[in-house]
């Protein structure tokens, strides 16, 4: 999927704001080599740098990387897919925020991250978990059905069973939890959220895309519009895993 980096930074800055908690899971990273896997526009990459890490940001989307390089020219950003990072025991720590749920081959992604870590290295990550955005995506599916289109959910959402997959790859799971986080949206509201994260649906809807957006808003408004803001019913899966020496 081609990302709109400007829209991402403008309307979805909450993604990196919450991601600082993932960085916290790594502890003291001063002087350590750290990989930001799926760095986007670099907002967490620079935070890792400010905490003293020797950090590299990797992302598959050139549009995102262009913004990251422009905003943080002192940092190193590389274009690499998580499934084929190509690193072998190069990092003391890896973190990934709001990325893994875009990848269907979860075992392949985790294996790539495992290989990138040195022995004793730490992986900290957060991704969409089972039930993430269920109200919004359910309403979107209904809207698409009403115009005779099929909605394909491109996200890979997992629950606590993910621990077994981490262990299968070779990690030791230090902590893992699935939790609800009702997330307020800022400028652009729910419509921009759908435009950013479900663009294929709107492309398929074509000239009926406004109908789809209107339908979703009307369907979920009673549950997801409050305190003068739109919200999305997020469920998050957050974990910390160790590559033993």
């Amino acid at each position: 999927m081609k990302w709109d980096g400007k829209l991402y930074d403008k309307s979805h800055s909450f993604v990196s704001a919450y991601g600082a908690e993932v960085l916290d899971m790594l502890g003291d990273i001063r002087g350590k080599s750290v990989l930001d896997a799926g760095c986007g526009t670099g907002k967490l990459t620079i935070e890792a740098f400010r905490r003293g890490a020797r950090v590299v940001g990797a992302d598959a989307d050139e549009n995102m990387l262009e913004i990251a390089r422009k905003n943080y020219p002192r940092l190193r950003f590389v274009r690499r897919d998580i499934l084929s990072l190509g690193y072998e025991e190069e990092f003391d720590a890896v973190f990934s925020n709001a990325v893994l749920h875009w990848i269907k081959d979860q075992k392949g992604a985790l294996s790539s991250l495992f290989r990138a870590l040195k022995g004793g290295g730490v992986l900290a990550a957060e991704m969409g978990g089972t039930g993430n955005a269920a109200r919004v995506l359910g309403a979107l599916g209904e809207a698409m059905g009403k115009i005779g289109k099929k909605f394909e959910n491109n996200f890979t959402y997992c629950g606590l069973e993910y621990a077994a997959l981490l262990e299968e790859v070779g990690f030791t799971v230090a902590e893992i939890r699935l939790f609800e986080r009702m997330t307020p949206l800022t400028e652009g509201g729910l419509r921009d959220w759908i435009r950013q994260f479900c663009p294929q649906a709107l492309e398929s809807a074509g000239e009926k895309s406004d109908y789809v957006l209107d339908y979703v808003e009307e369907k979920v408004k009673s549950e997801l519009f409050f305190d003068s803001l739109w919200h999305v019913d997020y469920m998050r899966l957050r974990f910390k895993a160790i590559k033993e020496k």
Side-chain angles (χ1 to χ4, degrees):
M1 185 179 83
K2 186 176 180 180
W3 286 87
D4 185 336
K6 292 182 179 178
L7 177 62
Y8 190 86
D9 272 356
K10 175 183 176 183
S11 298
H12 306 110
S13 58
F14 63 85
V15 176
S16 54
Y18 285 119
E21 298 176 7
V22 178
L23 262 179
D24 292 343
M25 297 171 70
L26 295 177
D28 186 358
I29 55 175
R30 285 176 295 180
K32 293 184 177 180
S33 55
V34 176
L35 175 66
D36 181 356
C39 64
T41 57
K43 287 189 173 181
L44 286 176
T45 321
I46 188 64
E47 178 60 27
F49 175 79
R50 288 168 179 157
R51 297 185 185 195
R54 294 180 285 110
V55 63
V56 176
D59 203 281
D61 190 273
E62 187 59 39
N63 182 37
M64 291 286 209
L65 290 172
E66 183 179 347
I67 294 173
R69 292 177 180 128
K70 180 180 179 181
N71 290 343
Y72 312 112
R74 296 175 61 191
L75 301 187
R76 183 185 174 203
F77 294 99
V78 297
R79 186 175 185 181
R80 300 196 186 189
D81 190 291
I82 286 181
L83 287 168
S84 52
L85 287 168
Y87 293 118
E88 297 290 337
E89 298 191 342
E90 293 190 39
F91 296 96
D92 299 305
V94 173
F95 70 95
S96 178
N97 180 57
V99 177
L100 290 172
H101 52 247
W102 291 102
I103 301 173
K104 293 190 181 300
D105 183 5
Q106 291 291 310
K107 185 175 181 180
L110 291 178
S111 296
S112 181
L113 296 173
F114 184 85
R115 289 192 297 270
L117 282 167
K118 300 176 183 178
V122 181
L123 168 64
E126 181 179 306
M127 60 189 288
T130 301
N132 192 67
R135 295 181 183 91
V136 175
L137 296 178
L140 183 56
E142 287 181 20
M144 295 297 289
K146 289 185 177 295
I147 63 172
K149 300 288 186 178
K150 185 178 180 181
F151 171 61
E152 293 186 9
N153 188 342
N154 292 316
F155 302 108
T156 302
Y157 291 148
C158 304
L160 295 179
E161 76 280 356
Y162 203 76
L165 183 58
L166 285 160
E167 292 170 351
E168 183 180 345
V169 168
F171 284 108
T172 297
V173 179
E175 58 182 277
I176 184 168
R177 66 188 183 105
L178 180 67
F179 61 97
E180 182 179 10
R181 185 173 67 217
M182 187 64 75
T183 302
L185 304 178
T186 53
E187 187 174 351
L190 188 58
R191 286 176 177 250
D192 270 2
W193 189 93
I194 295 171
R195 290 186 184 106
Q196 180 73 79
F197 299 112
C198 305
Q200 298 93 335
L202 297 183
E203 289 173 8
S204 176
E207 62 183 16
K208 295 184 178 180
S209 60
D210 283 340
Y211 165 83
V212 169
L213 292 169
D214 289 342
Y215 183 94
V216 174
E217 283 192 331
E218 184 63 29
K219 181 74 176 182
V220 303
K221 187 173 183 178
S222 63
E223 296 178 286
L224 299 181
F225 187 79
F226 53 90
D227 297 334
S228 300
L229 289 173
W230 281 102
H231 295 70
V232 175
D233 51 327
Y234 274 10
M235 290 289 294
R236 312 308 286 171
L237 182 67
R238 184 181 291 177
F239 59 87
K240 178 179 177 180
I242 313 297
K243 180 178 181 177
E244 301 291 354
K245 293 182 179 180

